[in-house]
Amino acid sequence: NKMALEKSDWILALLWAPGKTNKHGESIEGSIKLMKELFLLKQKVKSMPYDFVPYDYGPCSFEVYDDLATLKKNKLIRTITDPQNEYPIFKLSIEGLEKAEKVFDALDKETKKAILEIKKQYNQMNLVDLILYVYENYRHYATKTILDLEVLRGIHDSNSRN
């Protein structure tokens, strides 16, 4: 059952994993959130082939953007832009769901568990909270940020009070 994984298969596997909705193929809202989830996955699964550097919105792997473009071109993922949402939503296509399930099944047990944990824990998290979580726990990756952390903390605090 060993499949040779391509780098972009990690994106497919993350998109295929159910989060809090318990539905396979739970979409991910926006590239910042997708990037943070991949980064947090890398902390658990060191063999994940993406490398991250500090950038405008915290940890970034530029190859992720290239792979997203290729996955889109190959019609494995779709991006949905919805006027209700500030960020495009990344979703597996029908073909993408089929391929992603095969990819996920080929992963070892520990890796599957890590992907499921990341998706469940962070995919429904408000973006500001997720960014703050990453910045506070992985400070090195916040060194190049263009975001104002005090402003973010203010948003976070007013969210927590509501």
Side-chain angles (χ1 to χ4, degrees):
N1 193 10
K2 269 297 174 224
M3 203 173 138
L5 287 188
E6 293 169 44
K7 203 175 253 194
S8 62
D9 287 342
W10 289 85
I11 296 174
L12 294 178
L14 182 64
L15 278 167
W16 189 81
K20 287 218 166 103
T21 60
N22 287 319
K23 287 195 186 74
H24 290 298
E26 182 177 296
S27 58
I28 297 177
E29 196 184 321
S31 56
I32 299 175
K33 183 172 272 190
L34 178 67
M35 193 69 77
K36 299 295 164 276
E37 289 182 33
L38 285 166
F39 170 75
L40 290 164
L41 180 59
K42 173 82 174 190
Q43 307 314 304
K44 285 180 183 272
V45 184
K46 298 295 183 208
S47 63
M48 192 183 87
Y50 291 111
D51 292 312
F52 292 83
V53 295
Y55 197 57
D56 292 357
Y57 299 100
C60 181
S61 172
F62 295 101
E63 295 162 297
V64 169
Y65 293 118
D66 298 338
D67 286 348
L68 283 171
T70 306
L71 289 169
K72 238 179 118 163
K73 201 177 82 219
N74 296 339
K75 299 193 168 34
L76 293 170
I77 62 171
R78 304 187 296 139
T79 46
I80 301 158
T81 41
D82 166 2
Q84 298 299 306
N85 274 326
E86 212 177 326
Y87 304 102
I89 292 169
F90 293 94
K91 209 174 164 55
L92 292 165
S93 64
I94 302 292
E95 301 91 329
L97 273 165
E98 280 177 27
K99 175 162 188 205
E101 183 173 6
K102 289 191 183 95
V103 166
F104 194 85
D105 285 344
L107 297 168
D108 64 74
K109 213 162 93 189
E110 285 305 297
T111 302
K112 285 180 183 154
K113 189 169 161 266
I115 292 174
L116 291 168
E117 281 171 3
I118 295 291
K119 192 82 174 268
K120 274 205 162 62
Q121 203 174 343
Y122 302 108
N123 200 42
Q124 298 296 328
M125 201 185 254
N126 160 308
L127 185 61
V128 168
D129 294 348
L130 181 57
I131 290 172
L132 283 174
Y133 173 82
V134 169
Y135 282 12
E136 280 161 6
N137 290 282
Y138 304 95
R139 288 179 184 265
H140 164 66
Y141 290 94
T143 51
K144 296 242 172 30
T145 186
I146 57 172
L147 299 173
D148 183 328
L149 291 185
E150 289 315 306
V151 170
L152 286 185
R153 286 194 187 97
I155 296 169
H156 168 80
D157 293 341
S158 69
N159 283 347
S160 330
R161 278 198 296 273
N162 295 342

